[in-house]
């Protein structure tokens, strides 16, 4: 036990803090410019907001417009007013903001971040409440980057319809005598860009009554519309085979 006490005393001599003594946190200083304004930069997604806060009547100016005119959605106006509501300082400060980048949602988040930091600089006693609410932390969430070989970040290309059509065409050679097989299987693809290709197959198979590409496309569209009624669709197709 004595060895532990001696170790703590030696550590206290190095750090300047002796065991049993009360260490008081360093008080933060108020940061204002010559005009009595507190400045801070807020960020969210790709938006960057420069914020000046000074005592006033609660007027918020964003890029030369009022907050009601700039942020038409009520939820965005609620976001930028949250720091004042948490600290119970509503209507006591005027805010001047210039914000660029991202969309309105990202800009609102950047403005809220900047207002929170500026309030903490103007009145350091408000920092614990703002930090506890999470307004002092920069939200690092962003859109995930697109990957090669993918349609989006994780979305794959929808090639099922194309592969199914290739399968129908490859197996259609053994079913040249049955136009209903190719017609019905190809309808399951349900892709509009296959209308032109399918019309050529209808003409090639020599289905009665189909001599033009426009007529074949009309048949394909009608068949796709009634595809949810299998019985009616089969009877409809049998009339052209």
């Amino acid at each position: 036990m004595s060895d532990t006490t001696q170790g703590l005393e030696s550590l206290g001599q190095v750090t300047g803090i002796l065991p049993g003594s009360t260490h008081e946190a360093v008080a933060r200083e108020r940061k204002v410019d010559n005009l009595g304004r507190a400045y801070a930069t807020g960020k969210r997604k790709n938006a960057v907001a420069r914020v000046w806060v000074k005592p006033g009547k609660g007027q918020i100016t964003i890029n030369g417009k009022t907050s009601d005119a700039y942020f038409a959605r009520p939820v965005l106006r609620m976001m930028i007013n949250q720091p004042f509501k948490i600290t119970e300082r509503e209507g006591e400060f005027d805010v001047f903001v210039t914000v660029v980048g991202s969309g309105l949602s990202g800009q609102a988040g950047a403005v809220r971040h900047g207002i929170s930091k500026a309030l903490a600089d103007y009145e350091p006693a408000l920092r614990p409440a703002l930090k506890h609410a999470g307004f002092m932390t920069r939200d690092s969430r962003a859109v995930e980057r697109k990957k090669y070989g993918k349609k989006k970040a994780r979305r794959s290309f929808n090639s099922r319809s194309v592969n199914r059509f290739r399968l129908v065409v490859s197996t259609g050679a053994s079913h040249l005598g049955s136009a209903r097989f190719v017609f019905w299987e190809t309808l399951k693809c349900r892709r509009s860009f296959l209308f032109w290709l399918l019309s050529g197959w209808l003409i090639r198979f020599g289905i009665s009554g189909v001599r033009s590409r426009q007529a074949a496309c009309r048949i394909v569209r009608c068949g796709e519309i009634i595809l949810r009624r299998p019985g009616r669709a089969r009877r409809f197709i049998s009339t052209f085979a």
Side-chain angles (χ1 to χ4, degrees), residues 180 184 226 229-241:
R180 285 180 295 180
W184 177 249
I226 63 174
R229 305 287 294 275
R232 181 182 298 181
R234 291 193 181 94
R235 290 193 299 270
F236 173 81
I237 294 170
S238 63
T239 59
F240 293 94

Side-chain angles (χ1 to χ4, degrees), residues 10-58:
S10 60
L11 181 62
Q13 292 176 359
V14 176
T15 59
I17 305 174
L18 296 177
S21 62
T22 57
H23 177 64
E24 296 181 358
V26 178
R28 294 181 178 271
E29 297 182 357
R30 182 184 180 191
K31 299 179 182 179
V32 294
D33 57 8
N34 297 331
L35 300 177
R37 303 175 303 178
Y39 169 78
T41 302
K43 296 181 180 180
R44 172 75 173 98
K45 295 184 180 178
N46 292 327
V48 180
R50 298 185 299 169
V51 181
W52 288 267
V53 172
K54 66 177 182 179
K57 299 180 180 179

Side-chain angles (χ1 to χ4, degrees), residues 15-215:
T15 59
I17 305 174
L18 296 177
S21 62
T22 57
H23 177 64
E24 296 181 358
V26 178
R28 294 181 178 271
E29 297 182 357
R30 182 184 180 191
K31 299 179 182 179
V32 294
D33 57 8
N34 297 331
L35 300 177
R37 303 175 303 178
Y39 169 78
T41 302
K43 296 181 180 180
R44 172 75 173 98
K45 295 184 180 178
N46 292 327
V48 180
R50 298 185 299 169
V51 181
W52 288 267
V53 172
K54 66 177 182 179
K57 299 180 180 179
Q59 183 178 2
I60 301 178
T61 304
I62 304 173
N63 290 346
K65 299 180 180 179
T66 62
S67 60
D68 294 342
Y70 194 84
F71 292 121
R73 293 166 56 189
V75 65
L76 300 182
R77 296 197 297 270
M78 179 195 68
M79 285 180 60
I80 64 177
N81 286 320
Q82 282 178 338
F84 299 111
K85 187 175 181 180
I86 290 294
T87 57
E88 298 179 356
R89 294 293 188 275
E90 293 178 296
E92 298 183 11
F93 290 93
D94 287 342
V95 182
F96 180 80
V97 182
T98 58
V99 59
V100 294
S102 191
L104 291 178
S105 179
Q107 289 184 357
V111 171
R112 183 181 68 178
H113 185 217
I115 291 176
S116 302
K117 292 171 62 177
L119 281 177
D121 289 342
Y122 188 87
E123 193 173 346
L126 303 179
R127 181 181 176 84
L130 294 170
K131 190 173 181 64
H132 180 72
F135 298 154
M136 298 294 294
T137 304
R138 194 253 201 254
D139 193 347
S140 60
R141 294 177 299 171
V143 178
E144 187 176 353
R145 64 171 289 268
K146 180 187 179 301
K147 282 81 173 180
Y148 58 87
K150 297 286 186 178
K151 188 174 183 180
K152 296 177 69 176
R154 303 188 183 187
R155 171 91 163 120
S156 300
F157 291 100
N158 185 14
S159 58
R160 181 182 300 177
S161 299
V162 179
N163 294 336
R164 188 177 181 85
F165 179 75
R166 290 173 180 172
L167 177 64
V168 170
V169 173
S170 62
T171 58
S174 60
H175 299 79
L176 293 179
S178 176
R180 285 180 295 180
F181 169 80
V182 178
F183 188 84
W184 177 249
E185 291 297 322
T186 311
L187 276 180
K188 294 180 181 179
C189 300
R190 305 188 66 180
R191 300 284 291 189
S192 60
F193 70 89
L194 295 177
F195 285 163
W196 189 86
L197 297 176
L198 182 58
S199 61
W201 279 89
L202 291 175
I203 296 174
R204 179 178 175 181
F205 289 155
I207 297 178
S208 59
V210 180
R211 293 294 180 267
S212 65
R213 193 173 297 275
Q214 292 181 352

